[in-house]
Amino acid sequence: KLCGYLNKLGIKGPIKTWKSRWFFYDENKCHLLYYRTAQDINPLGSVDLSNASFDCKVENGEGAFEIRTPSRVFTLKAISKQAMMYWLQQLQARRWEFCNAQSRFPLHEGAKVQWNSVSLTCFCVLVCFYIDVVDNEDFLPPVKTPTEAVGLKAASLPAPQTSTALQNISLKHPWTEIQNTVYNICGSKQLWGKNGNVFSFSEFQEHPENPEEEQEAEEGTTEDGRMEPRLNWVRKARWMNSGFPGLPEELSRERNPMDKVSVLQQQILTLTEEVKSQKELVKLLHKALEAAQQEKRVSSMYLTAAEDKDRLELVRHNVRQIADLTSRLEALEREKKELEQILTLRDSHIQELKEHVQLLMEKNHAKQEVIMALTEQMARELSDPLQEANTIAAETLYKQQEEIEHLKDDIDAYKTQNQFLNSEIHQVTRLWTSVAENEKALLMKCACLQARNCQMESKYLTVLRKLQEAVPGLPSSHAELVRNLIQEALQWDVKEEAEEVFNLNTVSEYDEYGFMTVPDYEVEDWKLLAKIQALEIKSNNLRSQEVVEKPLRDRWNSVGELSPSAELKSLIRSGIPVEHRQRVWRWIVSRHCSHLPDHYQQLLRQSQSTEHPACRQIELDLPRTLTNNKHFSSPTSQLVPKLRRVLLAFSWHNPAIGYCQGLNRLAAVALLVLEDEESAFWCLVHIVENLMPADYYSDTLITSQVDQRVFKDFLSEKLPRLMAHFEQYRIDVSLITFNWFLVAFVDSLVSDILLRVWDAFLYEGTKVIFRYALAIFKYNEEEILRIHDSVEIYQYLRFFTRMIMDGRKLMNIAFNDLNPFPMKLLRNRRSMHREELEAELCELEQIKAAYVKEKAEQGP
């Protein structure tokens, strides 16, 4: 059993005292209980060691150490350094055994170990040794058990005494003290039998019959009655010092003659003081006797007077005496006051003289010190210089040796402390590593459960959608049940689910940029598709969190200053994390656009002073911009005024384009990510003037039409089966893809995939739009090939981007499966189709002119 007496530091306001306590380790709870004595049954308190760390500091004194828990710090002190190290090693071992026993429970039973406070405490200690985490590494040799201070044998020894009798009593736990005292009294009565009260002593024993009895009288104390011998000796001392009958015996016991002389001198002084007081008392009695005799004589004369006339004369004589005495008293009072004033003056004068004398004495003392110093200096100068040097060297050497000894002691103490702290950190690190691994396993399991839950919900919604398509062929009761289930699935409140304690479906209503995860479409079928897509995307993200997303985020965190490279290109294609996207976009825009100082503010002032022709069209398009985003969903949204100013500034910046439908969506996405409207303005300038070809947003949109023909060529080369399928049913894909190219997939892809597309688009250019457009058709190729009706194909193409669930898969198709995709080929195709389109437009103009001319010749 780990038990023994330790001193515990108690604090009561500004007062700090050490109290002796009996400590006992409870291995079931990993608690260190402490009692006032070893015989108590109720503990005064306990220390939880499961979440505690240990520390020994040289500054606290020898034998002192600390137990740090998350709520309190306990300062304890052992009787020696060996006992302190034994306690620390044993507490470490007990804590390790308990934590290992706790960690052996299976994870699914809810075992939780909170070591945050312990890890924070141990890693704050600076250690100069490298810790190699090995199972069997000894930092300190095991300390032998100090049996005189630790263990059950120590319980039979007397408890350490304090300087004050009541100092060791715990005032915080009076009821526990009473219970322990009653228990000890009852236990003592059972042990002593018929000896009566444990507090009673029958008589004083001045001279024990033998030395053994004397030793028992001095050392024999009970656990609850340890105050009794002290009281007996106090009574005995009082009896010995009262009166003088025992003086010869006292003198006979004195061993030293000088002690006898001092005792006799003390008695002489006492008797002298008593004689003086008796003399004063005799004088006072004499004066009182004289006054009484005088009064007696006067009374006798008054009583012996024969006639009233004589008595009257005596009375008058007394009155005159009284008056005379009164006048003399007044004169004496005046004289007294004068004497008091004179005395006060003399006292002040005497005080001044004393101060003057004190000053003179200090001057004299200072002069004597100077004289002594000069005398010593002269003596040193007259003495042998070699002897003086030897004396100084010897003194210096002695001081240095003392200092070296102190430093050696400090080094030994700090080495011991360092070794212990290394062992403490080593053990706590192992525990923390075990807890971290368990926590990681739980997080992985939770992510798998969340992903599985999202998949199950997605499959449930898919089944409902299939049933919805088959409603016309179902009985009316079944059709009604299907409609109710669809309504219930669409009306699930995401906010209520988010407030649950264990919520596996963490699909929130809005994402980081304010886009609705499940847009509020009017068509129920589209609502179901949007919800299925949101759940599938969430499931894929959860499954790839540890394998893909976390390593990718770590790689981005390690990126310092941005510079063009193949590695950065690969990172951007994989997707920029939310916390880094704004910084990377600003860097990309600043590389291609030189920010003219105050240029944006000048454009704003120009738009305020002069109304642009495109102002009306801008106001019409503002309410139709990103309606599924909370920052643009209403005219009072916070980003709508910023979007208006950005579009007006761009219309004045580029008069050749002014404003074109589609620019509002590009500027809106830039505002959501960059937040600053001037940065969003330059991002729009970078897209229109640097990334997109010329005339892409002109009135004729000629370059946009060219890109549609180029895209059809690439579709025929990369996906020939799908293009043949479209030609068979006369499907014009440009009706679907034209808007993709014009606004870079805004409002076509969900925000999670859209922003990854924009990451690569801003860095590489329009080639990324071709890659992703082909990848979208590749992603859904098999589904499209199974449809054999042109109307159904068009209906499917309207919402088939909502069927994309895995953004990582789409990215791999775009940048891996569609290779090679050289930019030179794209430029050549654009040039070829632009010449063809311009020739066709010229031919149309000629036909139009000829038609107009023919109409004019025919006349009305």
Side-chain angles (χ1 to χ4, degrees):
K1 296 292 182 180
L2 179 60
C3 55
Y5 279 106
L6 291 174
N7 289 329
K8 177 178 173 292
L9 182 63
I11 301 176
K12 298 182 180 65
I15 302 175
K16 297 182 179 180
T17 57
W18 290 98
K19 294 186 177 182
S20 176
R21 294 288 182 261
W22 174 262
F23 283 82
F24 176 79
Y25 174 73
D26 184 0
E27 59 186 9
N28 294 327
K29 298 182 180 179
C30 194
H31 282 197
L32 188 63
L33 309 178
Y34 56 90
Y35 305 77
R36 186 166 64 87
T37 64
Q39 286 73 24
D40 292 347
I41 56 170
N42 293 327
L44 300 177
S46 63
V47 184
D48 186 4
L49 300 182
S50 60
N51 294 339
S53 63
F54 312 113
D55 189 10
C56 61
K57 294 184 178 179
V58 180
E59 298 82 359
N60 292 342
E62 184 178 359
F65 61 97
E66 293 180 352
I67 300 178
R68 298 177 179 269
T69 64
S71 59
R72 186 179 173 187
V73 178
F74 295 86
T75 304
L76 307 178
K77 189 174 184 181
I79 62 173
S80 64
K81 182 178 178 181
Q82 180 187 5
M84 176 194 73
M85 295 308 300
Y86 175 79
W87 273 99
L88 287 173
Q89 288 185 351
Q90 290 298 317
L91 291 176
Q92 275 189 335
R94 300 300 200 279
R95 182 188 61 190
W96 175 252
E97 292 174 0
F98 180 80
C99 293
N100 276 344
Q102 291 293 105
S103 63
R104 285 196 292 269
F105 289 102
L107 292 176
H108 59 81
E109 294 183 1
K112 297 181 180 178
V113 181
Q114 300 177 353
W115 274 91
N116 293 334
S117 60
V118 177
S119 61
L120 287 175
T121 303
C122 70
F123 281 110
C124 288
V125 181
L126 296 177
V127 185
C128 60
F129 289 97
Y130 173 77
I131 300 176
D132 187 10
V133 181
V134 187
D135 289 337
N136 298 321
E137 184 172 1
D138 295 330
F139 291 88
L140 282 174
V143 180
K144 294 182 179 179
T145 305
T147 56
E148 72 280 359
V150 180
L152 296 177
K153 183 178 179 181
S156 61
L157 300 176
Q161 298 292 326
T162 56
S163 57
T164 306
L166 295 177
Q167 183 178 346
N168 204 38
I169 295 177
S170 176
L171 300 178
K172 294 182 179 179
H173 312 87
W175 180 244
T176 305
E177 289 283 358
I178 293 172
Q179 288 179 330
N180 292 331
T181 303
V182 171
Y183 172 79
N184 290 333
I185 291 174
C186 295
S188 300
K189 285 183 178 181
Q190 293 174 2
L191 290 173
W192 292 352
K194 300 179 181 181
N195 288 340
N197 193 347
V198 296
F199 296 101
S200 63
F201 273 79
S202 59
E203 59 181 359
F204 293 115
Q205 297 181 1
E206 299 180 31
H207 307 284
E209 296 179 1
N210 52 59
E212 295 180 357
E213 293 178 359
E214 182 178 357
Q215 184 177 1
E216 292 177 359
E218 291 178 357
E219 298 180 358
T221 58
T222 61
E223 197 64 37
D224 294 291
R226 61 169 62 97
M227 288 290 294
E228 192 170 346
R230 188 185 299 272
L231 295 175
N232 292 337
W233 285 110
V234 170
R235 295 171 185 171
K236 182 175 179 179
R238 289 180 181 175
W239 178 79
M240 292 295 295
N241 292 330
S242 60
F244 303 102
L247 184 58
E249 289 81 2
E250 181 68 24
L251 292 175
S252 64
R253 293 179 193 172
E254 297 294 341
R255 300 176 182 177
N256 194 348
M258 296 301 296
D259 295 339
K260 295 180 181 180
V261 172
S262 61
V263 170
L264 291 174
Q265 288 178 352
Q266 184 69 26
Q267 295 297 330
I268 291 170
L269 292 176
T270 304
L271 292 174
T272 304
E273 292 294 332
E274 188 174 355
V275 169
K276 287 182 180 179
S277 62
Q278 294 296 332
K279 286 181 179 180
E280 292 292 332
L281 179 59
V282 170
K283 289 180 181 179
L284 291 175
L285 290 176
H286 277 298
K287 289 181 181 180
L289 181 60
E290 290 176 359
Q293 288 176 354
Q294 181 68 24
E295 185 179 357
K296 180 180 179 183
R297 285 195 296 271
V298 173
S299 299
S300 299
M301 290 174 63
Y302 181 79
L303 293 174
T304 56
E307 296 180 2
D308 293 338
K309 182 179 180 180
D310 296 334
R311 292 182 179 178
L312 181 59
E313 186 62 28
L314 288 173
V315 171
R316 289 175 180 173
H317 178 70
N318 289 335
V319 170
R320 286 193 297 270
Q321 284 184 344
I322 292 171
D324 185 30
L325 290 173
T326 303
S327 61
R328 288 174 62 186
L329 180 62
E330 292 176 355
L332 290 174
E333 290 289 341
R334 288 194 296 272
E335 185 178 359
K336 178 184 176 184
K337 291 180 179 178
E338 293 174 359
L339 291 174
E340 287 178 352
Q341 292 177 358
I342 294 171
L343 181 61
T344 304
L345 293 175
R346 287 184 179 179
D347 289 340
S348 62
H349 184 61
I350 290 171
Q351 186 65 30
E352 292 177 358
L353 291 176
K354 286 182 178 180
E355 292 176 357
H356 185 62
V357 170
Q358 182 68 25
L359 181 61
L360 292 175
M361 290 178 66
E362 291 177 355
K363 289 182 179 179
N364 188 22
H365 182 67
K367 290 179 181 179
Q368 289 179 357
E369 289 182 351
V370 172
I371 291 171
M372 292 296 295
L374 292 174
T375 304
E376 292 176 358
Q377 184 177 358
M378 289 178 63
R380 287 194 300 270
E381 291 177 356
L382 293 175
S383 62
D384 188 7
L386 182 58
Q387 183 179 0
E388 180 181 358
N390 291 336
T391 305
I392 295 174
E395 293 178 356
T396 305
L397 181 61
Y398 178 73
K399 291 181 180 178
Q400 289 179 352
Q401 287 179 350
E402 286 186 347
E403 186 176 356
I404 288 172
E405 292 297 329
H406 291 311
L407 290 175
K408 286 182 178 179
D409 293 340
D410 292 343
I411 288 173
D412 292 339
Y414 281 114
K415 281 183 178 178
T416 304
Q417 179 186 3
N418 204 359
Q419 289 174 349
F420 167 73
L421 291 177
N422 274 286
S423 65
E424 174 72 3
I425 292 175
H426 173 69
Q427 187 180 105
V428 172
T429 303
R430 291 171 61 191
L431 293 172
W432 179 80
T433 304
S434 176
V435 172
E437 291 176 355
N438 293 339
E439 183 181 5
K440 184 177 179 181
L442 286 173
L443 290 176
M444 290 291 293
K445 187 174 181 180
C446 183
C448 292
L449 289 175
Q450 289 181 351
R452 188 177 301 173
N453 181 70
C454 291
Q455 283 189 341
M456 293 299 294
E457 190 174 346
S458 172
K459 291 178 180 178
Y460 172 70
L461 295 178
T462 304
V463 170
L464 289 181
R465 183 171 174 270
K466 295 294 183 181
L467 289 174
Q468 184 184 27
E469 294 176 356
V471 162
L474 294 175
S476 59
S477 60
H478 293 176
E480 183 65 25
L481 178 60
V482 171
R483 281 192 290 269
N484 292 337
L485 290 175
I486 292 174
Q487 290 295 328
E488 181 181 353
L490 293 176
Q491 291 175 1
W492 282 343
D493 191 355
V494 181
K495 293 182 179 179
E496 291 182 359
E497 294 181 2
E499 294 174 356
E500 295 180 4
V501 179
F502 300 101
N503 179 25
L504 295 177
N505 183 9
T506 57
V507 178
S508 58
E509 187 177 1
Y510 297 96
D511 64 3
E512 297 89 349
Y513 295 101
F515 288 98
M516 295 179 65
T517 54
V518 182
D520 190 14
Y521 295 118
E522 295 182 359
V523 183
E524 289 186 355
D525 194 25
W526 284 31
K527 288 183 182 180
L528 280 174
L529 285 175
K531 194 150 192 175
I532 293 171
Q533 185 184 34
L535 290 170
E536 288 292 338
I537 290 174
K538 186 64 180 179
S539 175
N540 292 328
N541 290 341
L542 288 171
R543 290 183 177 276
S544 63
Q545 184 67 32
E546 291 293 328
V547 181
V548 180
E549 298 298 333
K550 188 176 179 181
L552 178 63
R553 186 172 282 101
D554 293 339
R555 290 177 63 189
W556 272 107
N557 291 335
S558 63
V559 174
E561 185 178 355
L562 298 173
S563 59
S565 63
E567 182 182 3
L568 180 63
K569 181 178 180 180
S570 175
L571 281 176
I572 292 177
R573 284 183 173 184
S574 299
I576 305 173
V578 177
E579 59 269 21
H580 297 282
R581 180 168 283 132
Q582 186 180 109
R583 176 173 69 97
V584 177
W585 281 26
R586 288 178 187 274
W587 174 76
I588 293 173
V589 173
S590 64
R591 285 183 63 241
H592 298 88
C593 294
S594 57
H595 290 206
L596 301 176
D598 203 34
H599 179 64
Y600 180 70
Q601 300 299 329
Q602 292 178 1
L603 294 174
L604 289 183
R605 288 192 290 270
Q606 185 177 359
S607 64
Q608 291 174 357
S609 60
T610 307
E611 183 176 352
H612 195 275
C615 182
R616 183 179 178 184
Q617 186 61 44
I618 291 173
E619 292 297 329
L620 291 175
D621 288 346
L622 285 177
R624 295 179 288 192
T625 304
L626 301 185
T627 55
N628 62 338
N629 190 289
K630 65 180 180 181
H631 300 298
F632 297 97
S633 57
S634 67
T636 58
S637 298
Q638 54 182 352
L639 292 185
V640 171
K642 292 184 179 181
L643 179 61
R644 179 186 293 108
R645 291 192 291 270
V646 170
L647 294 176
L648 288 174
F650 181 81
S651 63
W652 286 107
H653 170 78
N654 193 333
I657 296 176
Y659 175 74
C660 175
Q661 288 184 344
L663 297 181
N664 57 327
R665 303 180 198 177
L666 300 177
V669 173
L671 267 175
L672 288 174
V673 176
L674 299 174
E675 297 179 358
D676 178 52
E677 57 183 275
E678 185 173 359
S679 300
F681 165 77
W682 287 111
C683 182
L684 181 62
V685 171
H686 172 58
I687 293 172
V688 175
E689 298 182 0
N690 297 330
L691 298 180
M692 295 298 190
D695 299 330
Y696 214 86
Y697 297 99
S698 63
D699 295 337
T700 59
L701 299 175
I702 183 172
T703 311
S704 300
Q705 298 180 51
V706 169
D707 275 356
Q708 294 305 308
R709 297 190 178 191
V710 174
F711 177 70
K712 290 180 181 178
D713 289 350
F714 285 137
L715 193 63
S716 300
E717 294 173 5
K718 302 292 182 181
L719 302 173
R721 293 173 56 221
L722 185 63
M723 191 61 188
H725 189 70
F726 286 153
E727 290 176 353
Q728 179 182 355
Y729 294 98
R730 299 180 181 180
I731 303 298
D732 187 4
V733 294
S734 62
L735 297 177
I736 306 298
T737 60
F738 184 82
N739 195 50
W740 293 1
F741 284 76
L742 194 66
V743 296
F745 297 104
V746 178
D747 286 339
S748 297
L749 295 173
V750 293
S751 60
D752 182 65
I753 302 175
L754 171 68
L755 292 173
R756 293 184 185 181
V757 174
W758 270 59
D759 293 338
F761 165 62
L762 291 178
Y763 188 73
E764 300 183 46
T766 53
K767 183 173 68 171
V768 173
I769 299 180
F770 283 93
R771 282 183 176 273
Y772 270 100
L774 292 170
I776 291 172
F777 282 103
K778 177 70 174 177
Y779 191 97
N780 298 279
E781 181 180 16
E782 298 300 327
E783 291 290 335
I784 298 173
L785 291 175
R786 281 195 288 267
I787 304 174
H788 300 284
D789 182 76
S790 59
V791 177
E792 291 184 6
I793 292 176
Y794 273 119
Q795 289 179 349
Y796 181 79
L797 293 179
R798 287 180 60 196
F799 62 82
F800 80 120
T801 55
R802 300 293 171 184
M803 304 298 293
I804 299 174
M805 311 298 181
D806 193 349
R808 291 289 168 190
K809 179 181 176 182
L810 184 67
M811 181 195 70
N812 289 328
I813 295 174
F815 293 109
N816 296 326
D817 297 352
L818 297 178
N819 286 334
F821 205 95
M823 190 66 187
K824 183 178 180 180
L825 177 63
L826 176 61
R827 285 195 294 267
N828 293 336
R829 292 285 177 88
R830 276 176 170 170
S831 299
M832 180 185 67
H833 284 289
R834 186 179 181 89
E835 292 176 359
E836 293 177 357
L837 185 60
E838 287 177 349
E840 291 176 3
L841 291 175
C842 182
E843 184 178 355
L844 288 175
E845 289 294 331
Q846 292 176 358
I847 294 173
K848 180 180 178 182
Y851 176 77
V852 171
K853 182 178 180 181
E854 182 181 355
K855 281 289 184 182
E857 290 176 355
Q858 291 179 359

